[in-house]
Amino acid sequence: MLQELLSKNHIEPARVIKFDQEKLHHFDLSKNNQELDRIDLNDEQQFTEYIQAVLDKNDCTTGIGGYGEERSLYSRSDLFSDEEPRTIHLGIDIWTKAGTPIYSPLEATVHSYANHRVHGDYGPVIILEHEIDDEIFYTLYGHLSTMSLHGLYEGKLIKKGEQFASLGAYHENFHWPPHLHFQVMLDMEGLKGDYPGVCKASEKKRFLENCPDPALLLGK
């Protein structure tokens, strides 16, 4: 649906984060990555050092990946614990420096926003609403700076390519190395200021149908 809308209307999304393609590393943070077996994922410093070490080793300034990955790293937070843990990642992560500007890929209005101050959660998050040919969908931006929420209000117009946020530092995004969690939702299911970024494996089909690959909206 999303790809058809963009193609039919000849829409090229703006860059969400401007990075050098030659300095981009594609991360594998799935449970199949044996490198992760050698670090304590519940040790926040070790995980942060691992992310930076991989970028340094590959001479990269930005890392990307994660859509649909089955991950084990969420054991580090009680937020994802349940009888069946949430392990399927529903967005794309872009790992780069705190303070990096974030731009809207399309014209939008602010749907909602919040600051989830819970270990392992989004921290500051903004959800934008987009409309093309009477079709409405949403984009979510998690792990932002607290300053990103200043001056916001629901319904605020955000132009395509306009900077509306920046990446948060470690203490702001609630104990994650600086990165953007970028996600698309076709239906907000009545939620405001939040939408799950990770789901249970048993619910994978339903959630991935509602959360298509956000790579379509990253821009070039």
Side-chain angles (χ1 to χ4, degrees):
M1 166 263 196
L2 194 52
Q3 189 167 14
E4 290 177 3
L5 280 176
L6 296 175
S7 178
K8 176 183 174 183
N9 290 277
H10 307 288
I11 296 173
E12 182 65 51
R15 292 283 292 273
V16 171
I17 286 184
K18 297 177 182 179
F19 51 78
D20 183 347
Q21 293 282 358
E22 295 183 359
K23 294 284 187 178
L24 182 65
H25 176 73
H26 290 266
F27 269 102
D28 174 9
L29 297 179
S30 73
K31 67 177 186 178
N32 300 319
N33 182 354
Q34 296 181 354
E35 287 186 355
L36 296 178
D37 296 338
R38 298 195 288 271
I39 65 173
D40 181 359
L41 293 174
N42 291 303
D43 186 318
E44 296 162 356
Q45 183 174 348
Q46 277 195 38
F47 182 61
T48 299
E49 289 175 350
Y50 169 77
I51 293 292
Q52 190 59 51
V54 172
L55 291 176
D56 291 345
K57 177 183 176 182
N58 291 279
D59 190 27
C60 289
T61 56
T62 307
I64 195 169
Y67 177 68
E69 272 187 348
E70 184 169 4
R71 295 175 168 179
S72 56
L73 59 90
Y74 298 112
S75 63
R76 62 201 291 270
S77 172
D78 292 339
L79 180 67
F80 304 101
S81 301
D82 206 337
E83 291 182 5
E84 180 189 354
R86 290 192 280 151
T87 58
I88 306 299
H89 192 248
L90 300 174
I92 281 179
D93 287 332
I94 304 175
W95 308 83
T96 191
K97 294 180 180 180
T100 297
I102 298 168
Y103 306 88
S104 178
L106 304 166
E107 184 170 309
T109 56
V110 174
H111 172 271
S112 52
Y113 53 95
N115 192 351
H116 297 281
R117 303 177 185 182
V118 178
H119 178 221
D121 209 328
Y122 289 128
V125 60
I126 297 173
I127 298 171
L128 300 183
E129 179 174 321
H130 311 275
E131 182 174 354
I132 302 175
D133 281 354
D134 298 323
E135 295 283 353
I136 295 174
F137 58 95
Y138 308 85
T139 50
L140 180 150
Y141 308 79
H143 309 296
L144 306 176
S145 66
T146 53
M147 284 294 295
S148 300
L149 303 184
H150 291 189
L152 280 190
Y153 55 88
E154 292 182 10
K156 181 178 182 180
L157 178 65
I158 308 291
K159 295 180 181 179
K160 175 181 174 179
E162 177 182 346
Q163 181 185 348
F164 68 95
S166 60
L167 280 189
Y170 180 83
H171 68 282
E172 295 177 291
N173 68 41
F174 280 78
H175 308 161
W176 292 97
H179 74 288
L180 175 68
H181 176 93
F182 178 58
Q183 186 170 323
V184 176
M185 294 82 59
L186 303 181
D187 185 348
M188 282 296 296
E189 301 179 357
L191 296 175
K192 293 183 71 173
D194 198 12
Y195 192 88
V198 184
C199 74
K200 299 175 181 179
S202 63
E203 299 175 331
K204 177 179 178 178
K205 183 177 185 295
R206 177 176 79 83
F207 272 99
L208 290 184
E209 285 178 352
N210 190 47
C211 301
D213 189 346
L216 288 170
L217 291 180
L218 280 178
K220 295 180 180 178

